[in-house]
Amino acid sequence: MSAFEARLRRIGDERYHHRHPFNLRMHAGRLSREEIQTWVRNRYYYQTRIPIKDGLILSKAADPDFRRGWVRRIRDHDGDEKGEEAASVRAAGIGIAADGQELEL
């Protein structure tokens, strides 16, 4: 492993989201209902943007092998309704409209 890769890995380990104070409070059960609802809305929005971002990357790629790999990523995130269904279940569990309407931004 190069020094550059080692440095990136160290930074990633130190700063990855699982160490963020908000996530630490969430996993310890110390967030308010409103904070959890906000997290669910944010998570839903974030998950819906991933396939859009991947599509933009795909549209600029000249290498067919690279494009095939990114198509799989899009299908993983956008290829079925499981992600939306999971978001609706999370939303219903914390008092947000189960039909997902309230999650749309």
Side-chain angles (χ1 to χ4, degrees), residues 14 30 36 66 70 94-95 103:
E14 292 170 358
R30 295 191 317 244
I36 290 290
F66 179 82
W70 280 93
I94 60 161
L103 294 174

mmCIF file of all heavy atoms in Angstrom, residues 14 30 36 66 70 94-95 103:
data_model
loop_
_atom_site.group_PDB
_atom_site.id
_atom_site.type_symbol
_atom_site.label_atom_id
_atom_site.label_comp_id
_atom_site.label_asym_id
_atom_site.label_seq_id
_atom_site.Cartn_x
_atom_site.Cartn_y
_atom_site.Cartn_z
ATOM 1 N N GLU A 14 -10.965 7.869 10.321
ATOM 2 C CA GLU A 14 -11.159 8.900 11.342
ATOM 3 C C GLU A 14 -12.426 9.715 11.113
ATOM 4 O O GLU A 14 -13.056 10.166 12.062
ATOM 5 C CB GLU A 14 -9.958 9.852 11.351
ATOM 6 C CG GLU A 14 -8.671 9.217 11.837
ATOM 7 C CD GLU A 14 -7.456 10.105 11.597
ATOM 8 O OE1 GLU A 14 -7.615 11.212 11.016
ATOM 9 O OE2 GLU A 14 -6.350 9.682 11.961
ATOM 10 N N ARG A 30 -30.223 8.788 21.555
ATOM 11 C CA ARG A 30 -30.316 10.097 22.199
ATOM 12 C C ARG A 30 -30.805 11.207 21.273
ATOM 13 O O ARG A 30 -30.607 12.385 21.567
ATOM 14 C CB ARG A 30 -28.960 10.469 22.803
ATOM 15 C CG ARG A 30 -28.537 9.535 23.932
ATOM 16 C CD ARG A 30 -27.350 10.038 24.712
ATOM 17 N NE ARG A 30 -26.308 10.572 23.867
ATOM 18 C CZ ARG A 30 -25.087 10.065 23.750
ATOM 19 N NH1 ARG A 30 -24.751 8.995 24.433
ATOM 20 N NH2 ARG A 30 -24.200 10.615 22.969
ATOM 21 N N ILE A 36 -34.825 12.401 14.348
ATOM 22 C CA ILE A 36 -34.925 11.138 13.612
ATOM 23 C C ILE A 36 -35.737 11.339 12.339
ATOM 24 O O ILE A 36 -35.369 10.843 11.268
ATOM 25 C CB ILE A 36 -35.548 10.025 14.485
ATOM 26 C CG1 ILE A 36 -34.582 9.610 15.585
ATOM 27 C CG2 ILE A 36 -35.967 8.828 13.643
ATOM 28 C CD1 ILE A 36 -33.357 8.846 15.086
ATOM 29 N N PHE A 66 -16.306 0.076 -18.125
ATOM 30 C CA PHE A 66 -16.629 0.995 -17.027
ATOM 31 C C PHE A 66 -18.131 1.285 -16.994
ATOM 32 O O PHE A 66 -18.757 1.235 -15.946
ATOM 33 C CB PHE A 66 -15.827 2.292 -17.198
ATOM 34 C CG PHE A 66 -16.095 3.311 -16.133
ATOM 35 C CD1 PHE A 66 -15.452 3.235 -14.913
ATOM 36 C CD2 PHE A 66 -16.985 4.352 -16.358
ATOM 37 C CE1 PHE A 66 -15.689 4.178 -13.914
ATOM 38 C CE2 PHE A 66 -17.233 5.295 -15.370
ATOM 39 C CZ PHE A 66 -16.583 5.205 -14.153
ATOM 40 N N TRP A 70 -21.084 0.701 -14.034
ATOM 41 C CA TRP A 70 -21.928 1.764 -13.475
ATOM 42 C C TRP A 70 -23.401 1.472 -13.712
ATOM 43 O O TRP A 70 -24.242 1.832 -12.877
ATOM 44 C CB TRP A 70 -21.538 3.122 -14.044
ATOM 45 C CG TRP A 70 -20.326 3.653 -13.335
ATOM 46 C CD1 TRP A 70 -19.031 3.499 -13.706
ATOM 47 C CD2 TRP A 70 -20.297 4.364 -12.101
ATOM 48 N NE1 TRP A 70 -18.196 4.077 -12.796
ATOM 49 C CE2 TRP A 70 -18.944 4.623 -11.794
ATOM 50 C CE3 TRP A 70 -21.286 4.815 -11.224
ATOM 51 C CZ2 TRP A 70 -18.554 5.301 -10.655
ATOM 52 C CZ3 TRP A 70 -20.888 5.510 -10.088
ATOM 53 C CH2 TRP A 70 -19.547 5.745 -9.809
ATOM 54 N N ILE A 94 -41.886 6.286 12.186
ATOM 55 C CA ILE A 94 -41.611 7.472 12.994
ATOM 56 C C ILE A 94 -42.634 8.581 12.775
ATOM 57 O O ILE A 94 -42.402 9.732 13.085
ATOM 58 C CB ILE A 94 -40.185 8.009 12.737
ATOM 59 C CG1 ILE A 94 -40.001 8.393 11.283
ATOM 60 C CG2 ILE A 94 -39.148 7.017 13.187
ATOM 61 C CD1 ILE A 94 -38.844 9.313 11.053
ATOM 62 N N GLY A 95 -43.778 8.205 12.181
ATOM 63 C CA GLY A 95 -44.871 9.158 12.071
ATOM 64 C C GLY A 95 -44.859 10.047 10.852
ATOM 65 O O GLY A 95 -45.495 11.093 10.828
ATOM 66 N N LEU A 103 -42.131 12.580 2.020
ATOM 67 C CA LEU A 103 -40.691 12.462 1.856
ATOM 68 C C LEU A 103 -40.196 13.198 0.624
ATOM 69 O O LEU A 103 -39.025 13.525 0.508
ATOM 70 C CB LEU A 103 -40.285 10.998 1.760
ATOM 71 C CG LEU A 103 -40.512 10.186 3.030
ATOM 72 C CD1 LEU A 103 -40.223 8.723 2.767
ATOM 73 C CD2 LEU A 103 -39.636 10.698 4.148
#
